[in-house]
Amino acid sequence: MASYDNGEFSFARGTGTAVANGNGTARNGLAKIQTTQKKGGNGMCHDDSSAPVKAQTIDELHSLQKKKSAPTTPIKGTQQGAFAVALSEEERQKQQLQSISNSLASLTRGTGPKVVRGDPAKQSDTPKVSSHVEHHHHFTPTISVSDSALKFTHVLYNLSPAELYEQAIKYEKGSFITSTGALATLSGAKTGRSPRDKRVVKDETTEDELWWGRGSPNIEMDEHTFMVNRERAVDYLNSLDKVFVNDQYLNWDPENRIKVRIVSARAYHSLFMHNMCIRPSPEELEDFGTPDFTIYNAGQFPCNRYTHYMTSSTSIDLNLARREMVILGTMYAGEMKKGLFSVMHYLMPKRQILSLHSGCNMGKDGDVALFFGLSGTGKTTLSTDHNRYLIGDDEHCWTENGVSNIEGGCYAKCIDLSREKEPDIWNAIKFGAVLENIVFDEHTREVDYSDKSVTENTRAAYPIEYIPNAKIPCVGPHPKNVILLACDAFGVLPPVSKLNLAQTMYHFISGYTALVAGTEEGIKEPQATFSACFGAAFIMLHPTKYAAMLAQKMQQHGATGWLVNTGWSGGRYGSGKRIKLPYTRKIIDAIHSGSLLNANYKKTEVFGLEIPTEVEGVPSEILNPVNTWSDKKAYQETLLKLAGLFKNNFETFTNYKIGKDNKLTEDILAAGPNF
């Protein structure tokens, strides 16, 4: 018989008749619980095994649940040396709020809004004016003060993912937690970028510096129109009860990082940018100061269609002189990511730093490779290698110190995602990740990645630390190999070619791949696609400038250029077969190891490409595409057709001259197909 006693009551338990511990009798085979009176007690049964809660009300109890984050750095003084004057925490926060208020300033009123930190839903009383940062403006408004000047704008500043989850689920329709812990969201009517609605202010400086005209992604607008849209966005944001503010960095190279501020109306956008930009440490955040670039995301609010230059209710506007970006009429988060990439394509070359739309990984011996390729070429698959460290999947800088990732996260396509094919991406979609426009089971919250009901462009945004073999910090030495990927559905490009510098520039500027046509009415011809520098939508300068910088850095650091075809062999799409992925991986491995440099090479006709006669693990007969075609005449015709498409595309760039003698442009042209 076992006996239990906790000081309050005791009972005995046996296999037969239950025995009470006092004078009670047992019923139904169960022991009667006997209470015992403690010294000084009143005979009542208490559980005082722990101290009572230090709260008199439920609100007080809740207030004990959370503690305030304290600054983690020494408070810096306003003066240097022994006579430094310490800033109080209140003064530090006032300076921060003043900076945010200045960012949100209406230019017609000349002052920023009254801003306070915190969620308005948690405010018991309206803040008093005296508790807010004082404004020191010498501008006297000449118009009547509107109601917006009398209200407070609550700032939710650099919230954590957990806090942003709460905001999204409470206040944003279409926000849910999936079975893996990721936040599922909707981007509204726009489920992709709107490149035709992107505008860049053309002023005295940018008129000469940027690439304008045929083939350029830069569509001009004037300063006045930008200010009209900026005012519309700022007024909308100031009319809200709360806005989200992210202060973050771009570029892992500490010498060349850019401070960015993102002001948005949605928790989804704040969490997206928390993942995609580089996250400051608490110490860095306390000393962040004034941003180098600011985004005003008023995507819920449309632009005014009657405004000059507007062609739809959407407008994404860049003003490089003001270092500002305005978003109206689209809630697709990718506009912020790619807008900042465009800014880096402008700012970095000014510092003689090459900005690149590429993947990047590094071997265990420190050998770095860059991967360029359009959608469907295998860039993500081939740059993700468990035997190598991932520096980044999409945006990089090549500085005098080496390569650095621009971003702090990854933005992966999710359509048809599977654990077997992309285990790293699959496992990265967990708490903290954002899932855009996916479809899930309403009960289990399990995501169906094959469902295209909302859009085919489903995406996941997650911090790069979620990838197991990510290199943190995301920097590396100078690249040894520059790999240009093309999925050639015409089936005439070799599986691998070694390029000289001029050929590297030519194929880098061309940015070729081929889309496979639909087959509803039978097999149709592949469609050649060209995107300058493998990212035409984001470049700001003429493609030849980026190509010249690439060639200069490759020459300076001894990097080798390669053209790798991940497309068809033995015939075009419909008659030939796609080159097997294991063969392509063997080719990439041979590039990484350096063994391909020592192979024997021979030159192809028309394109003049150097192709190896042997690669370990790859059948030699497929290395020269002519060998795999049974119909040699058809091969020759298809080869000439593709060469013609290259030439026609390159006519866009022939009118641009570099230097007085134009020799570089002529060298690049000479490296193209010859027939």
Side-chain angles (χ1 to χ4, degrees), residues 212-231:
W212 305 99
R214 183 187 168 197
S216 167
N218 302 316
I219 306 172
E220 69 177 85
M221 73 185 309
D222 59 30
E223 173 83 11
H224 174 76
T225 305
F226 175 85
M227 298 312 294
V228 170
N229 282 353
R230 182 195 187 278
E231 197 73 355

Side-chain angles (χ1 to χ4, degrees), residues 104-352:
L104 283 165
S106 164
L107 299 177
T108 58
R109 290 189 295 275
T111 61
K114 298 182 180 72
V115 295
V116 290
R117 282 185 64 167
D119 187 349
K122 297 178 182 178
Q123 301 294 321
S124 56
D125 297 303
T126 303
K128 297 177 181 178
V129 176
S130 59
S131 69
H132 174 249
V133 57
E134 296 177 8
H135 293 280
H136 301 283
H137 292 284
H138 302 290
F139 178 88
T140 303
T142 57
I143 56 173
S144 300
V145 174
S146 66
D147 288 354
S148 62
L150 304 178
K151 68 178 283 292
F152 283 88
T153 298
H154 293 260
V155 173
L156 302 181
Y157 182 73
N158 271 56
L159 296 190
S160 68
E163 292 171 307
L164 291 168
Y165 267 56
E166 292 171 3
Q167 291 289 325
I169 291 165
K170 281 182 185 177
Y171 305 115
E172 295 180 11
K173 194 171 182 179
S175 297
F176 300 90
I177 301 176
T178 67
S179 60
T180 64
L183 181 70
T185 65
L186 291 173
S187 66
K190 296 291 177 75
T191 57
R193 289 183 300 103
S194 304
R196 293 181 181 178
D197 295 312
K198 181 183 170 186
R199 302 285 183 270
V200 182
V201 173
K202 190 174 187 179
D203 54 28
E204 292 180 357
T205 302
T206 57
E207 183 176 10
D208 296 327
E209 290 182 336
L210 301 192
W211 178 31
W212 305 99
R214 183 187 168 197
S216 167
N218 302 316
I219 306 172
E220 69 177 85
M221 73 185 309
D222 59 30
E223 173 83 11
H224 174 76
T225 305
F226 175 85
M227 298 312 294
V228 170
N229 282 353
R230 182 195 187 278
E231 197 73 355
R232 191 170 176 91
V234 166
D235 282 346
Y236 170 74
L237 291 167
N238 287 343
S239 73
L240 302 175
D241 289 333
K242 64 185 177 187
V243 294
F244 298 88
V245 175
N246 292 44
D247 280 349
Q248 295 181 263
Y249 297 118
L250 296 179
N251 197 355
W252 282 84
D253 176 9
E255 294 180 19
N256 294 290
R257 70 183 184 185
I258 302 296
K259 297 188 293 185
V260 294
R261 172 169 291 166
I262 302 101
V263 185
S264 57
R266 289 194 63 178
Y268 146 49
H269 289 150
S270 188
L271 181 58
F272 178 89
M273 294 308 283
H274 169 89
N275 290 347
M276 295 311 303
C277 294
I278 299 166
R279 293 158 288 284
S281 67
E283 294 86 355
E284 290 170 328
L285 200 57
E286 287 163 23
D287 198 30
F288 191 84
T290 304
D292 300 313
F293 197 89
T294 303
I295 292 179
Y296 300 97
N297 189 342
Q300 294 98 315
F301 203 65
C303 67
N304 187 337
R305 289 288 301 272
Y306 288 98
T307 306
H308 194 35
Y309 296 102
M310 300 299 103
T311 53
S312 77
S313 60
T314 297
S315 192
I316 303 102
D317 307 329
L318 276 176
N319 189 325
L320 297 171
R322 290 184 59 87
R323 304 290 175 91
E324 292 179 339
M325 178 181 177
V326 169
I327 298 175
L328 292 164
T330 173
M331 289 188 285
Y332 182 66
E335 296 288 7
M336 294 182 288
K337 165 188 161 68
K338 290 304 187 184
L340 289 176
F341 191 30
S342 295
V343 171
M344 294 296 279
H345 269 310
Y346 173 73
L347 294 178
M348 291 298 103
K350 283 178 165 290
R351 304 184 185 185
Q352 301 307 307

